[in-house]
Amino acid sequence: MKKQLTVAFTTLFSVSLWAQLPSQKEFSQMFSQVVKEVGPAVVTITSAKIVKREGRRFRHQFEDFFGEDFFRFYYDNPDGDMRSTVLGSGVIVDAENGYVLTNNHVVENADEITVLLMDEREFSAEIVGRDSQSEVAVLRIDADDLTAARMGDSDRLGVGEWVLAIGSPFSQNLSHTVTAGIVSAKGRSQVLGGVNYQDFIQTDAAINPGNSGGALVNLEGELVAINTAIATGGFSRGNVGIGFAIPINLAKTIMTDLITEGRVIRAWLGVYIQDVNDGIAKALGLSDREGVVVLRVQDDSPAEDAGIEVEDVIVEFNGAKVRDVAHLKNLVSTTRPGTRVALELIRSGKPKTLRVRLDEFPSEEKVLASSERMSPELGVRVEDITPTYARRLNLDEDKSGVVVAEVSPNSAAARAGIQTGDLITRIGGKDISSRREFQKAVKQQKKGSTILFLVYRPGRGSMFIPVENQ
């Protein structure tokens, strides 16, 4: 009897659950309503750059063979300038003032920017501000009767939740293309090279070239992210179900600063940090891999004033659990300078709380709660040897060089075989003993040359690795 009651209850629960789910028709109508509401707020952006060219130098070799009339026949203005265009998307976020949110790479270095609305109206746009560090840019158009997207809360967006992507993939003729998918993951970092503040939402809603800057919306019709990048397979430029978008909460903070201040105001902690892996957790006696470990404390920084030390593990920032390096960078950068925050640490295996007053990011020479920047030429980030690294790599006390802390996928260093944990001891005939010497040696190498690295790899010994300096 008890078993029969259990089966009956389970069946009743299942029927009740299915009764609460929308029907196929209702689900379809929900999608249509979102597109109807958000569509007019999405725009197509065409950025043009005028490229100067020296026609005569390019033409000499062809005229000698084909004759002087060759270029005049095929080109109206063979000695004139070339016009290079970039296609992207954007989202109107302020109808009254004509503000449009998009990606930095869509409008970077543009001489002319044109915005095409859903109703076929076309306007010239000006750049209000752009931030290459987060890939956010704000445009302004002078137009009436605009429709703005409603802002959502990207922090509340859940993995597995349905989302729609709206933009202009591949061509202006495909403007306002709508694709559907789910949120595949949140908090993705190390997606784009040269972008220091990454906290991407990953989605399998189809995103393709031209979708950059477009809208990612939830089923309530709220803008939850700005589509930015895709991961592709092989030589394909098309979507393979892995797209990335900037959370709207981060984009709003950047946008507000660009509009009101003309620049992005970021706070500064002043520590070099690294994710905690199994080896570090074991070496420091940690019970798990939560938080980030401090590699170095910047001189005259808020971190130094507060008493943060090397090998401290930061596990909580002002009440928020710290997931990884990228997460702490974003937590710090979106906090206003002058704010006093509580840092929860683990020092020598014991919990400790410090109060830190954050300062404004001072200059490009100092790094905000981050590891050293990735070398753009090679796609490798290095760190000085610390006691933690020495123990982890089992290095002798007299061993010198710099430790490879990160290698960007598909970079010159990755293709050459440089790996995380390698110790670079020599570059192009010069011994290396610090990050400063590494950076100086790399800058002295000619573009297009092959740089010979002498690398010590624990367990294998030393080896030469040639790396193309792109």
Side-chain angles (χ1 to χ4, degrees):
M1 183 65 179
K2 184 177 180 180
K3 184 176 181 180
Q4 291 176 340
L5 287 174
T6 302
V7 172
F9 177 78
T10 303
T11 304
L12 182 62
F13 177 79
S14 300
V15 172
S16 176
L17 179 62
W18 280 105
Q20 295 176 32
L21 295 176
S23 66
Q24 184 176 1
K25 182 177 181 180
E26 290 172 332
F27 202 51
S28 177
Q29 289 175 339
M30 191 182 304
F31 277 32
S32 297
Q33 182 58 37
V34 170
V35 175
K36 183 178 180 180
E37 179 180 347
V38 182
V42 180
V43 302
T44 301
I45 299 174
T46 304
S47 300
K49 181 175 178 58
I50 309 302
V51 181
K52 301 288 183 181
R53 68 177 180 180
E54 299 178 16
R56 292 298 306 177
R57 185 174 62 182
F58 173 69
R59 291 166 56 192
H60 279 321
Q61 55 184 317
F62 291 94
E63 288 178 346
D64 291 342
F65 186 80
F66 291 105
E68 294 183 0
D69 292 333
F70 176 80
F71 275 86
R72 297 185 186 281
F73 182 80
Y74 285 101
Y75 299 97
D76 292 334
N77 187 15
D79 291 321
D81 299 332
M82 294 180 62
R83 182 184 177 89
S84 174
T85 60
V86 174
L87 178 71
S89 305
V91 187
I92 300 171
V93 291
D94 185 333
E96 182 178 353
N97 294 295
Y99 290 132
V100 177
L101 199 57
T102 187
N103 286 149
N104 173 67
H105 72 264
V106 172
V107 298
E108 187 175 20
N109 300 322
D111 294 315
E112 301 173 5
I113 302 173
T114 302
V115 170
L116 178 67
L117 305 186
M118 190 175 187
D119 60 10
E120 300 298 326
R121 288 185 294 163
E122 191 171 283
F123 300 92
S124 294
E126 61 174 341
I127 297 177
V128 176
R130 58 184 186 85
D131 179 46
S132 61
Q133 301 302 306
S134 63
E135 258 301 301
V136 172
V138 181
L139 308 179
R140 185 182 180 280
I141 58 175
D142 186 7
D144 298 323
D145 300 324
L146 297 177
T147 299
R150 287 190 295 114
M151 297 285 197
D153 183 353
S154 51
D155 289 343
R156 296 178 56 192
L157 192 66
V159 175
E161 187 172 337
W162 279 97
V163 286
L164 304 180
I166 309 176
S168 305
F170 295 115
S171 168
Q172 194 176 78
N173 295 330
L174 299 178
S175 66
H176 295 87
T177 293
V178 181
T179 55
I182 63 170
V183 174
S184 305
K186 296 180 66 176
R188 295 299 197 200
S189 60
Q190 300 180 27
V191 171
L192 291 178
V195 179
N196 285 336
Y197 303 97
Q198 302 189 32
D199 188 27
F200 289 108
I201 293 169
Q202 181 183 331
T203 179
D204 66 350
I207 298 174
N208 288 289
N211 275 113
S212 293
L216 190 72
V217 298
N218 60 20
L219 294 192
E220 295 178 13
E222 297 172 329
L223 180 65
V224 292
I226 299 297
N227 298 323
T228 301
I230 59 174
T232 60
F235 296 99
S236 171
R237 296 176 66 237
N239 176 269
V240 292
I242 304 176
F244 303 97
I246 301 171
I248 196 61
N249 289 6
L250 175 59
K252 280 193 298 185
T253 300
I254 303 299
M255 178 184 69
T256 300
D257 278 352
L258 291 175
I259 293 173
T260 60
E261 304 291 338
R263 63 190 180 95
V264 179
I265 299 175
R266 292 187 170 98
W268 179 56
L269 180 58
V271 290
Y272 298 93
I273 54 179
Q274 179 184 346
D275 291 335
V276 176
N277 56 29
D278 289 335
I280 293 175
K282 184 177 180 180
L284 296 179
L286 304 176
S287 59
D288 53 46
R289 295 173 50 180
E290 292 184 354
V292 295
V293 61
V294 176
L295 302 172
R296 184 156 63 93
V297 179
Q298 187 78 29
D299 294 336
D300 301 320
S301 67
E304 184 183 56
D305 293 342
I308 296 176
E309 300 177 1
V310 173
E311 294 191 9
D312 280 348
V313 178
I314 303 174
V315 295
E316 194 170 305
F317 177 90
N318 224 28
K321 298 289 185 181
V322 175
R323 298 192 304 267
D324 51 29
V325 167
H327 186 216
L328 181 57
K329 287 172 62 176
N330 289 319
L331 288 173
V332 174
S333 68
T334 53
T335 304
R336 302 311 291 179
T339 303
R340 292 187 65 85
V341 299
L343 286 184
E344 300 295 331
L345 313 172
I346 297 177
R347 178 178 295 173
S348 301
K350 298 180 180 180
K352 188 178 183 64
T353 302
L354 295 179
R355 300 287 297 181
V356 183
R357 184 185 183 278
L358 301 177
D359 289 342
E360 183 177 346
F361 190 91
S363 66
E364 290 298 321
E365 285 73 32
K366 294 187 177 181
V367 182
L368 179 154
S370 71
S371 305
E372 190 69 17
R373 286 185 179 181
M374 187 79 70
S375 166
E377 300 88 355
L378 306 175
V380 62
R381 175 171 60 79
V382 301
E383 297 285 358
D384 291 330
I385 298 176
T386 64
T388 300
Y389 275 133
R391 287 197 302 268
R392 178 183 167 196
L393 302 176
N394 195 26
L395 300 177
D396 296 331
E397 292 183 358
D398 60 348
K399 201 73 175 176
S400 62
V402 290
V403 179
V404 176
E406 181 184 353
V407 180
S408 178
N410 301 319
S411 65
R415 290 193 296 272
I418 299 289
Q419 299 177 9
T420 301
D422 284 348
L423 186 70
I424 298 174
T425 61
R426 189 178 179 88
I427 297 178
K430 293 186 177 181
D431 291 333
I432 302 298
S433 60
S434 67
R435 290 179 304 103
R436 187 181 297 275
E437 290 181 359
F438 171 87
Q439 293 164 354
K440 183 178 179 181
V442 170
K443 289 181 180 179
Q444 289 176 344
Q445 306 301 312
K446 293 181 179 180
K447 291 286 187 181
S449 65
T450 300
I451 308 175
L452 195 61
F453 282 62
L454 181 58
V455 173
Y456 172 80
R457 182 168 296 166
R460 291 192 56 184
S462 296
M463 67 188 82
F464 280 112
I465 298 181
V467 181
E468 297 294 330
N469 187 24
Q470 299 177 333

